[in-house]
């Protein structure tokens, strides 16, 4: 069973930065396309960034140019660097496999507010 543990969230002012981490255990995730998702209160979960096993990346228009997804296969970890944060980025952030998602982790809360 794969366990996904997200961390790195917090309270940040608009324009600030955060780096989220997603540590996977129970299975090597380097062969899978992984994604970062977010869910804001009252809204559906949405995919914001994805990275293939070959490190090709894709981003939602709302975060393009501000967020960067990466992976460290040696650490079985996926990262999301978030810059120029906006209040509308406030959400709980999750990571998971794109195809046939595993059990979701707890997520990490990101709050962008002055």
């Amino acid at each position: 069973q794969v366990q996904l543990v997200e961390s790195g969230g917090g309270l940040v002012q608009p324009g600030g930065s955060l780096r989220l981490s997603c540590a996977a255990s129970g299975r090597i995730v380097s062969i899978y396309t992984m994604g970062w998702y977010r869910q804001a209160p009252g809204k559906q979960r949405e995919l914001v960034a994805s990275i293939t096993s070959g490190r090709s990346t894709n981003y939602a228009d709302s975060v393009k140019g501000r967020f960067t997804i990466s992976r460290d296969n040696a650490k079985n970890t996926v990262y999301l660097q978030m810059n120029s944060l906006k209040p509308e980025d406030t959400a709980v952030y999750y990571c998971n496999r794109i195809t046939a998602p595993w059990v979701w982790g707890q997520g990490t809360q990101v709050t962008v507010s002055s």
Side-chain angles (χ1 to χ4, degrees):
Q1 184 70 15
V2 176
Q3 183 178 17
L4 301 168
V5 179
E6 299 91 351
S7 62
L11 173 63
V12 63
Q13 292 187 341
S17 298
L18 285 172
R19 187 194 193 204
L20 307 184
S21 298
C22 170
S25 60
R27 184 171 295 188
I28 301 298
V29 299
S30 61
I31 63 172
Y32 300 111
T33 296
M34 297 292 292
W36 278 97
Y37 300 77
R38 66 185 180 189
Q39 186 167 21
K43 295 187 176 181
Q44 288 191 332
R45 188 173 292 164
E46 63 171 343
L47 176 66
V48 297
S50 63
I51 184 167
T52 69
S53 59
R55 301 180 191 273
S56 294
T57 58
N58 200 14
Y59 299 93
D61 287 344
S62 58
V63 306
K64 201 170 293 184
R66 299 188 297 122
F67 290 11
T68 303
I69 188 171
S70 61
R71 65 196 311 165
D72 185 333
N73 292 336
K75 295 183 178 180
N76 219 28
T77 299
V78 181
Y79 302 98
L80 186 68
Q81 177 68 43
M82 305 188 297
N83 299 328
S84 303
L85 283 161
K86 304 176 180 180
E88 51 263 43
D89 295 319
T90 295
V92 179
Y93 284 72
Y94 305 85
C95 71
N96 213 324
R97 183 171 62 170
I98 296 296
T99 303
W102 295 303
V103 174
W104 294 89
Q106 298 275 14
T108 185
Q109 175 71 48
V110 172
T111 303
V112 185
S113 174
S114 55

